[in-house]
Amino acid sequence: MSQYVVCALYKFVRLENYESLKAPLFEVMEANQVKGTLLLAREGINGTVAGSREGIDSLFSWLESVPQLGNITPKESLNHFMPFNRTKV
């Protein structure tokens, strides 16, 4: 039985370009089968997502590539089922 990594994350940071990050972030999540909701705003990022270990690692690699979104420390847990039905940014 596979396990899903559930990640709660947030980072308060000035994101003047948050609107331009929405589409690429959604694409990374979709490509890696990461589901859940991430909220982007001028004040930062917040949300909870779930996916395979590889999918979550790929998402965090992308987040690290955005200078303001590096060094996020998520809270992780494991689940035997996918807790989310959709992907939303």
Side-chain angles (χ1 to χ4, degrees):
M1 179 179 279
S2 64
Q3 287 196 324
Y4 293 94
V5 178
V6 181
C7 257
L9 63 108
Y10 72 92
K11 185 169 185 180
F12 294 112
V13 63
R14 181 169 224 98
L15 274 182
E16 295 296 337
N17 63 334
Y18 74 95
E19 291 169 335
S20 67
L21 297 173
K22 182 179 177 179
L25 178 55
F26 181 80
E27 289 172 14
V28 168
M29 290 174 69
E30 283 276 296
N32 290 286
Q33 298 178 327
V34 174
K35 295 185 179 189
T37 300
L38 288 177
L39 303 172
L40 288 173
R42 201 167 264 112
E43 300 81 18
I45 188 170
N46 185 12
T48 306
V49 295
S52 66
R53 173 83 269 163
E54 296 79 16
I56 294 296
D57 289 346
S58 294
L59 171 62
F60 275 87
S61 290
W62 185 87
L63 290 171
E64 287 286 332
S65 75
V66 178
Q68 305 97 311
L69 296 178
N71 297 319
I72 294 175
T73 304
K75 302 290 186 211
E76 292 188 0
S77 61
L78 297 176
N79 212 340
H80 289 293
F81 63 92
M82 172 55 80
F84 304 113
N85 295 321
R86 64 183 178 153
T87 301
K88 186 175 179 183
V89 177

